Amino acid sequence: LLRPGHPDVSPSPSAEASGLLSLPWEMVTHIASHLPAQCVITVLPKVCHVLGNVGKDSTAWQLRARRLIGSRAGFPVGPREDFDWPSACLEMEQLITCWTGQAHLVARQTQEDEEEREQVRQQQRAGQDGGPERQEDGREDEVERVGVVAQEVAYGVDEGMEVAMEGEDGEMQPIVGGDQLARLREELEERLEDDAAALMEEERNHRMVFVADEGQDGALNHQEDLVHPRNLGNGRQVEMEQRQPTRSPSPPPALECITLPSSHIAQVNSVLLVGGEGTVCATGSRDWNVKLWDLHAGSSGRLLHTLGGQGDFSTHRGWVWCLASQGPLLASGGFDSTVRLWDLQAGGAERGLIRAGAAVLCLSCQPDVLLTGTFDKRVSMYDTRAAEPLVKSLRLHGNAVMCLAADDKYIISGSKDCTVAVYDRRAGKGLKRLRLSSYLLSMSYSGCEVWAGDNSGMVHSFSMQAGTLKPLSQFDVGHTALVTGIHRSPGSLYTCSSDRTLKVHIPCAPPRTLCTLHHQAGVNGV
């Protein structure tokens, strides 16, 4: 129990009070601990000032978090100073309720929706005559051959081949005329040289599906199966932890599975929620295109735009590998060694072009700067408003830069040379370089914690205080291949992998896995 004068304890209710307020403060906080966090945060302050102080008792929040997680797990993993306990407890309660109680319903609903769509497709095929059908099939076969050539050129027939695409000064011209697909294949072979992408060779044959948790900003989870929608829902399994929370959790947010019908003709590499409240989804594909989708148009979404400049036949001139956004600005990076800028408020109109000089493997949009990590071992900073956008180019690593995270003070980057580097933006100098036994592919940085996934399936945690990056732990959360995506917030942790799974965890030490979603192909991002 805390002393009466402790800053986390509200003054005791007056002796004149009756009912609940006449009880000792310790009993009031104990009773409140049985209420959902959402109620404590939003409802009690509206009842009276005294009950509103319950939400200011950090010790009560810490006890609530311990009950949710268990006594054996450490939480938070990083520093406790200035940790947002109310938000963490609220997120954990919603996460537990949502994913242990409803995930199987979402999987079943998705399968039923796909079966219904398949019946509609069969009826449509039955009503068509043979001529148009044969013509359509021929086009699909031709497109499929182009995709096979692109994959073989980019990855190399030999899986052990090391590849990467170097940037070129000139741009490819739009393809016109009847030989468009044949010329597309020829230019793919020219552009993707023999050093092109075993960098990502473990990630081949991925597809995506998106699970949007509408109650949490930015909580977008991807399953991959956009190329062949008929495969969705088949063989999907959900594993969930059976242990229930010991206290009544907050009411679950609406959990809806949105399966976007694929209009991409190749695999989807990146996906991003944009539009403020996540009403719009951007997808970047190996078919060189970026597409915008309306997620409020039902369970299948609706295609809004395929981005591209006037006269362009595609968004990029190579694979689109990464996406990032800040406000109305959307940035897409690709294997054509460019970053292309788009204005979401103007319907995806082209806003600018940045030539990066090498394949762009990761992006980070900050309010004042755009950061890129490229195959030529550089982290570059750009001012998107300037005529000459390059602000500074940093050589922090000895191999390709695979992932980036940043805030207004620091840039953290992970490279295939198995190092993690910290750069001080204000001082203009590198601060620290850590060497790991594996290389990082994905990274999430918020508060004083950095979480990252590596090429061996492990999840790493770091603390970040005053420019000092300190390794804390590495965890085996059950992934058996590359951890291709990771997203961490105070009360939630999502990871996905090329082992065809997406996992939902509580971010404690070790992480408590609430749910594992199994898919028929690897998952590229979350």
Side-chain angles (χ1 to χ4, degrees):
L1 299 179
L2 298 176
R3 299 188 305 273
H6 194 280
D8 286 333
V9 177
S10 173
S12 299
S14 65
E16 298 178 359
S18 61
L20 179 64
L21 299 184
S22 66
L23 298 174
W25 180 250
E26 292 78 10
M27 293 186 66
V28 174
T29 57
H30 179 73
I31 293 171
S33 70
H34 291 263
L35 299 174
Q38 182 72 49
C39 177
V40 175
I41 294 172
T42 62
V43 177
L44 293 189
K46 298 177 181 179
V47 175
C48 69
H49 174 71
V50 174
L51 291 180
N53 285 324
V54 171
K56 301 176 182 178
D57 189 340
S58 66
T59 301
W61 287 114
Q62 293 177 42
L63 293 174
R64 181 187 290 258
R66 179 172 291 273
R67 287 195 299 268
L68 290 169
I69 296 169
S71 59
R72 296 184 179 181
F75 185 82
V77 175
R80 300 172 71 89
E81 297 84 357
D82 300 323
F83 185 74
D84 189 350
W85 289 98
S87 294
C89 290
L90 174 61
E91 288 185 11
M92 284 190 289
E93 289 186 2
Q94 291 179 339
L95 200 73
I96 290 170
T97 302
C98 195
W99 286 103
T100 60
Q102 296 185 22
H104 66 290
L105 298 178
V106 172
R108 186 173 62 187
Q109 177 185 352
T110 304
Q111 183 171 354
E112 292 174 353
D113 291 344
E114 178 53 34
E115 290 174 353
E116 182 178 346
R117 283 192 292 270
E118 180 63 26
Q119 291 177 359
V120 172
R121 285 195 292 269
Q122 290 176 356
Q123 293 174 359
Q124 291 174 344
R125 284 196 295 268
Q128 294 175 349
D129 58 29
E133 184 173 347
R134 285 193 298 272
Q135 182 178 357
E136 181 179 348
D137 290 345
R139 182 183 180 279
E140 289 180 354
D141 291 343
E142 195 168 9
V143 172
E144 183 176 354
R145 286 195 296 272
V146 174
V148 171
V149 171
Q151 179 168 318
E152 290 180 351
V153 172
Y155 283 137
V157 178
D158 180 3
E159 292 187 1
M161 186 182 300
E162 184 83 5
V163 253
M165 189 188 76
E166 295 293 338
E168 296 179 5
D169 292 333
E171 288 191 6
M172 294 166 51
Q173 298 301 317
I175 300 171
V176 294
D179 284 336
Q180 179 169 344
L181 289 173
R183 296 182 61 186
L184 173 62
R185 180 177 58 206
E186 292 172 4
E187 294 194 352
L188 275 171
E189 294 171 346
E190 293 173 4
R191 287 289 289 169
L192 304 177
E193 301 176 352
D194 285 335
D195 273 342
L199 191 51
M200 317 291 182
E201 71 184 62
E202 301 101 320
E203 301 175 68
R204 62 161 99 189
N205 297 327
H206 300 341
R207 302 170 189 152
M208 290 187 186
V209 170
F210 316 97
V211 179
D213 184 349
E214 297 179 343
Q216 302 178 29
D217 289 341
L220 176 66
N221 309 301
H222 318 307
Q223 289 173 280
E224 261 217 320
D225 213 272
L226 285 183
V227 179
H228 297 292
R230 63 180 176 274
N231 291 335
L232 285 171
N234 298 329
R236 183 174 301 155
Q237 303 171 10
V238 179
E239 295 176 358
M240 294 169 290
E241 183 174 302
Q242 297 301 317
R243 181 174 57 166
Q244 298 298 320
T246 56
R247 291 292 183 268
S248 298
S250 297
L255 182 64
E256 180 182 2
C257 181
I258 301 175
T259 303
L260 301 181
S262 174
S263 61
H264 289 291
I265 61 172
Q267 298 166 14
V268 177
N269 288 327
S270 183
V271 78
L272 183 69
L273 277 180
V274 294
E277 298 179 354
T279 58
V280 176
C281 177
T283 57
S285 169
R286 295 179 189 179
D287 67 3
W288 304 9
N289 285 313
V290 175
K291 295 179 182 289
L292 299 181
W293 305 82
D294 180 6
L295 298 183
H296 282 185
S299 60
S300 296
R302 179 173 64 91
L303 179 63
L304 296 174
H305 306 286
T306 297
L307 302 183
Q310 186 174 4
D312 290 341
F313 73 96
S314 63
T315 309
H316 279 257
R317 307 291 167 77
W319 288 358
V320 181
W321 200 256
C322 47
L323 300 169
S325 69
Q326 180 69 41
L329 174 67
L330 173 65
S332 57
F335 271 43
D336 60 354
S337 305
T338 68
V339 177
R340 297 176 186 260
L341 308 176
W342 315 95
D343 189 342
L344 296 175
Q345 289 183 337
E350 189 175 19
R351 184 166 158 179
L353 170 68
I354 296 173
R355 301 186 185 280
V360 181
L361 304 180
C362 49
L363 289 168
S364 177
C365 269
Q366 301 300 310
D368 61 333
V369 70
L370 172 67
L371 304 172
T372 66
T374 49
F375 180 79
D376 61 359
K377 314 169 189 178
R378 295 183 179 276
V379 174
S380 300
M381 294 182 278
Y382 297 94
D383 183 350
T384 59
R385 302 162 296 180
E388 295 295 331
L390 180 62
V391 176
K392 185 177 292 186
S393 186
L394 309 170
R395 184 74 173 268
L396 303 176
H397 300 281
N399 207 327
V401 180
M402 309 296 287
C403 55
L404 277 175
D407 59 13
D408 60 340
K409 298 179 181 178
Y410 306 106
I411 301 172
I412 307 170
S413 57
S415 168
K416 202 178 179 184
D417 65 1
C418 298
T419 63
V420 182
V422 180
Y423 181 82
D424 189 325
R425 292 181 55 189
R426 297 179 177 180
K429 64 179 182 179
L431 297 180
K432 192 166 186 177
R433 195 162 175 253
L434 299 176
R435 180 163 295 277
L436 308 176
S437 58
S438 57
Y439 65 87
L440 303 181
L441 282 160
S442 52
M443 186 180 295
S444 180
Y445 173 32
S446 61
C448 294
E449 294 184 25
V450 179
W451 289 70
D454 71 15
N455 63 309
S456 65
M458 300 294 287
V459 171
H460 301 251
S461 64
F462 306 83
S463 66
M464 181 66 180
Q465 285 185 301
T468 300
L469 184 69
K470 179 182 177 182
L472 297 176
S473 301
Q474 64 176 14
F475 306 105
D476 183 354
V477 297
H479 289 303
T480 58
L482 307 171
V483 179
T484 53
I486 189 167
H487 174 80
R488 177 261 173 191
S489 64
S492 67
L493 176 66
Y494 298 86
T495 60
C496 64
S497 170
S498 56
D499 67 2
R500 307 181 181 185
T501 64
L502 183 147
K503 293 176 179 286
V504 183
H505 323 265
I506 291 178
C508 51
R512 174 184 163 193
T513 303
L514 300 177
C515 177
T516 298
L517 300 177
H518 293 262
H519 310 297
Q520 292 193 345
V523 186
N524 269 339
V526 59

